[in-house]
Amino acid sequence: MPRSDGRYRLRCRDQELDIDTDEFVIGRSADCDLQLECGLVSRRHVRLRHCEAGVVLEDLGSRNGVMVNQRKVGEPVLLRHGDVVGIGIESLEFVDLDLLYRPESLSTIPPPSLPTRAGDAAALDSVTLTPGTETLTDRERQVLELIALGHTQREVASRLCISAKTVETHRSRIAEKLGCHSRADFVTRAIAAGFLRGR
């Protein structure tokens, strides 16, 4: 299992904690890596697990659940820089130091080009009328981003710690929601949504 290299942290109140173990457990119990003394927090509430893609959050069967960006999660979630994890009354911000200190100007992916000639009005309508990525689930957004970055289905599955079949299901749903028919369509939608900024 990949080990932490000091790249990931949690911001909790006025302090920052390194996620410096393979499995970082948060809960009310004194033997947790981060102890939260609150009645809404289970003894072992949530686990942050290192994998090839980064850090995956897993609810350990807590009574009150876990929120990521104000949405309750029911399955393992790959955390992204800036995600806010809600446990009980506590809010913990996930920090990826590589992205925190990486200049925005390092992005080498050009913005999607839009038709400019009068004769291209129909093509322009097809772009502006495409459903937005707000219809995607968190996991579908992750799959879209990785596909747009050029990863194969197997690589996406490995990075998100899910099966290739599950990736194919998510890919089909994304294609249906966004009207994607090729990898170029996936890239265009991901760039337009800002998923690839700063990479």
Side-chain angles (χ1 to χ4, degrees):
M1 178 182 294
R3 295 193 62 84
S4 169
D5 56 4
R7 169 180 171 181
Y8 305 106
R9 291 181 180 176
L10 282 178
R11 284 179 178 160
C12 180
R13 300 176 187 171
D14 296 328
Q15 60 179 330
E16 292 193 1
L17 304 171
D18 287 330
I19 305 174
D20 54 4
T21 59
D22 288 339
E23 295 189 349
F24 188 94
V25 178
I26 303 171
R28 202 175 67 250
S29 175
D31 62 359
C32 289
D33 297 289
L34 173 58
Q35 183 181 15
L36 300 177
E37 297 179 354
C38 172
L40 297 175
V41 178
S42 298
R43 290 181 57 80
R44 290 173 58 85
H45 200 105
V46 68
R47 172 173 55 205
L48 303 182
R49 176 171 55 84
H50 286 269
C51 70
E52 181 184 351
V55 175
V56 174
L57 176 147
E58 295 178 82
D59 187 344
L60 296 177
S62 64
R63 182 175 60 183
N64 294 304
V66 183
M67 307 286 284
V68 175
N69 300 328
Q70 300 184 339
R71 297 179 63 177
K72 193 169 185 177
V73 298
E75 62 178 6
V77 174
L78 180 66
L79 293 177
R80 298 157 55 99
H81 175 67
D83 280 349
V84 176
V85 178
I87 303 176
I89 61 173
E90 297 286 353
S91 293
L92 313 173
E93 182 182 0
F94 179 73
V95 178
D96 182 336
L97 295 180
D98 277 3
L99 294 183
L100 182 64
Y101 298 115
R102 180 184 297 173
E104 190 77 17
S105 60
L106 288 183
S107 177
T108 58
I109 301 177
S113 58
L114 295 177
T116 56
R117 296 176 303 182
D120 292 333
L124 180 58
D125 288 342
S126 69
V127 172
T128 57
L129 294 178
T130 300
T133 52
E134 66 272 4
T135 63
L136 302 181
T137 66
D138 288 342
R139 181 49 58 88
E140 287 168 351
R141 289 168 184 258
Q142 293 167 351
V143 171
L144 171 60
E145 179 177 347
L146 290 173
I147 290 174
L149 287 170
H151 294 288
T152 65
Q153 192 164 296
R154 181 175 296 179
E155 290 170 341
V156 173
S158 174
R159 285 176 172 271
L160 297 183
C161 305
I162 58 179
S163 70
K165 185 175 181 180
T166 300
V167 173
E168 177 58 31
T169 299
H170 287 310
R171 192 183 190 284
S172 297
R173 290 176 180 168
I174 295 168
E176 182 179 350
K177 291 179 179 180
L178 302 185
C180 296
H181 304 291
S182 65
R183 181 178 293 275
D185 289 339
F186 280 89
V187 173
T188 299
R189 302 298 182 268
I191 294 174
F195 291 173
L196 306 184
R197 291 173 184 166
R199 286 188 173 276

